[in-house]
Amino acid sequence: YTAFDGIQIDPDIAVFVPAGFNETLILVSLPLAGVVIAVDVIGALLVLGIHIMNTAYRDHKTIKASSSRLNHFAYIGCYLILLATLLYTITETFSFSMPSKSILCNAFPFSLIHVVGLTLVFGAVTAKTWRLYKIFIRSQKLRSGYNAAMSDGVLAVLIMILVVIVAGFCTAWTVLDPYIRNNTKFFVSSGSSLSVSIKESCRCKYQVQWIASITAFETIIIMLLVYLAISTRTIKKKEFQTRSITVLAYLLTLTTSVGGVIYLITVVVEAGVNTSYGILASVLIVMVYLCIALFFIPPVLPVIDDLLHPHRRRIKTQMTIRTFIRAEAVGTRQ
């Protein structure tokens, strides 16, 4: 040190304590995100394929009996759930600007896209099961005028009313208490050195209250679906039997309740990013695959069988014609 030159530092021998720390952003691991995206895409392709068959063969007796036009709402709902899962994966796996992530936070789980998708699925399944309940279980009491009340148009309006309710709720949520993407920093020791890890999350002020409210609304729809599925289990006609819908109602209830509770626990205890992400993504995807297996596939299986074995269809048609001719002959003799 000199009064004229001040402090002079010899870089060859000087040793300093670091003034900063290495920062690491904690994101979902790419292998896990890749698996979720792959399963998500496969699910979308399955729904799309069945959707096309539902439209192309809408006059087939099994598809027609399954309310082919109402099924479109459920298909759209599954597309939205899969889209929400994809947006969730993008947000939690890749690094980009916080304002952009805040926008995505308000688009997936517990917000508009996700909740509207769930409502479309639950609403479509409930509406068609309610129609079966009215026709086969309560038809004697409601014989007059029940056809108009049970039309596709009326049920479609009821489904859209449910969608408008949840869309309005989510819009109010986004306007009054929007999700904000923020980060939390904490030190991580590695031997004698320290580093800073950054964990991002979507938060809003009254998150628990909003989630509890929308969950209660969806729970009411699911409980109504469970009741209708149980009430219609005695239907004898094969095309209108609701065994698979009953199983679907139980499994959706189990998946949403158990999966939702486990996810909230991981949020409260601040579990690892991969754990929270894996649980929520699994719940969303499992719900879609349950719909595919128990709601979408059963009506189209006979169509696929007819396409693969056309000779069986001809035999069935000939037997039906013979039965009709015999009945006509018996009626003529009488």
Side-chain angles (χ1 to χ4, degrees), residues 300-326:
V300 303
L301 280 179
V303 178
I304 297 174
D305 184 66
D306 288 344
L307 293 175
L308 295 177
H309 306 95
H311 62 283
R312 294 181 184 176
R313 185 176 182 181
R314 288 195 298 269
I315 293 174
K316 291 179 181 178
T317 303
Q318 291 172 359
M319 292 177 63
T320 302
I321 294 174
R322 291 172 184 171
T323 303
F324 177 77
I325 293 174
R326 290 173 183 171

Side-chain angles (χ1 to χ4, degrees), residues 14-93:
V15 178
F16 296 94
V17 176
F21 300 93
N22 293 326
E23 295 185 345
T24 303
L25 178 61
I26 300 176
L27 298 169
V28 171
S29 66
L30 285 176
L32 176 59
V35 171
V36 171
I37 292 175
V39 176
D40 199 75
V41 171
I42 293 172
L45 293 176
L46 287 173
V47 175
L48 178 61
I50 300 173
H51 193 174
I52 293 173
M53 291 195 66
N54 179 86
T55 304
Y57 298 95
R58 59 186 176 274
D59 293 328
H60 191 280
K61 63 178 182 179
T62 56
I63 294 181
K64 192 173 183 178
S66 71
S67 304
S68 60
R69 285 184 287 188
L70 293 180
N71 289 343
H72 294 302
F73 290 102
Y75 294 131
I76 295 173
C78 285
Y79 295 141
L80 292 179
I81 295 173
L82 293 171
L83 175 60
T85 307
L86 181 61
L87 293 177
Y88 180 43
T89 301
I90 293 173
T91 305
E92 299 297 330
T93 306

Side-chain angles (χ1 to χ4, degrees), residues 36-223:
V36 171
I37 292 175
V39 176
D40 199 75
V41 171
I42 293 172
L45 293 176
L46 287 173
V47 175
L48 178 61
I50 300 173
H51 193 174
I52 293 173
M53 291 195 66
N54 179 86
T55 304
Y57 298 95
R58 59 186 176 274
D59 293 328
H60 191 280
K61 63 178 182 179
T62 56
I63 294 181
K64 192 173 183 178
S66 71
S67 304
S68 60
R69 285 184 287 188
L70 293 180
N71 289 343
H72 294 302
F73 290 102
Y75 294 131
I76 295 173
C78 285
Y79 295 141
L80 292 179
I81 295 173
L82 293 171
L83 175 60
T85 307
L86 181 61
L87 293 177
Y88 180 43
T89 301
I90 293 173
T91 305
E92 299 297 330
T93 306
F94 302 100
S95 177
F96 48 94
S97 67
M98 296 293 280
S100 299
K101 286 196 173 186
S102 294
I103 294 174
L104 289 178
C105 283
N106 290 281
F108 61 77
F110 309 123
S111 198
L112 187 60
I113 295 178
H114 169 242
V115 176
V116 169
L118 287 178
T119 305
L120 284 169
V121 173
F122 294 154
V125 181
T126 303
K128 57 188 295 183
T129 310
W130 183 53
R131 174 156 61 189
L132 294 175
Y133 173 77
K134 290 293 186 181
I135 293 174
F136 290 97
I137 308 301
R138 300 291 299 275
S139 60
Q140 296 299 323
K141 296 181 180 181
L142 302 172
R143 185 178 299 279
S144 59
Y146 79 89
N147 285 332
M150 295 300 103
S151 66
D152 285 343
V154 173
L155 295 181
V157 170
L158 293 176
I159 295 173
M160 292 309 300
I161 289 174
L162 294 177
V163 172
V164 169
I165 291 174
V166 297
F169 179 88
C170 291
T171 301
W173 181 354
T174 303
V175 172
L176 300 176
D177 188 21
Y179 272 115
I180 302 296
R181 189 74 173 183
N182 50 39
N183 55 51
T184 304
K185 297 183 178 181
F186 53 93
F187 286 105
V188 177
S189 61
S190 177
S192 60
S193 62
L194 287 175
S195 61
V196 176
S197 293
I198 304 174
K199 184 178 181 180
E200 294 183 349
S201 60
C202 297
R203 290 287 185 269
C204 61
K205 187 175 181 180
Y206 300 104
Q207 181 176 358
V208 175
Q209 290 86 340
W210 290 111
I211 293 176
S213 300
I214 197 64
T215 301
F217 181 80
E218 297 292 340
T219 300
I220 293 174
I221 301 177
I222 293 177
M223 295 305 295

Side-chain angles (χ1 to χ4, degrees), residues 256-269 271 275-276 279 283:
T256 52
S257 58
V258 176
V261 169
I262 294 175
Y263 173 74
L264 289 178
I265 291 175
T266 61
V267 172
V268 172
V269 302
T275 302
S276 299
I279 291 173
V283 170

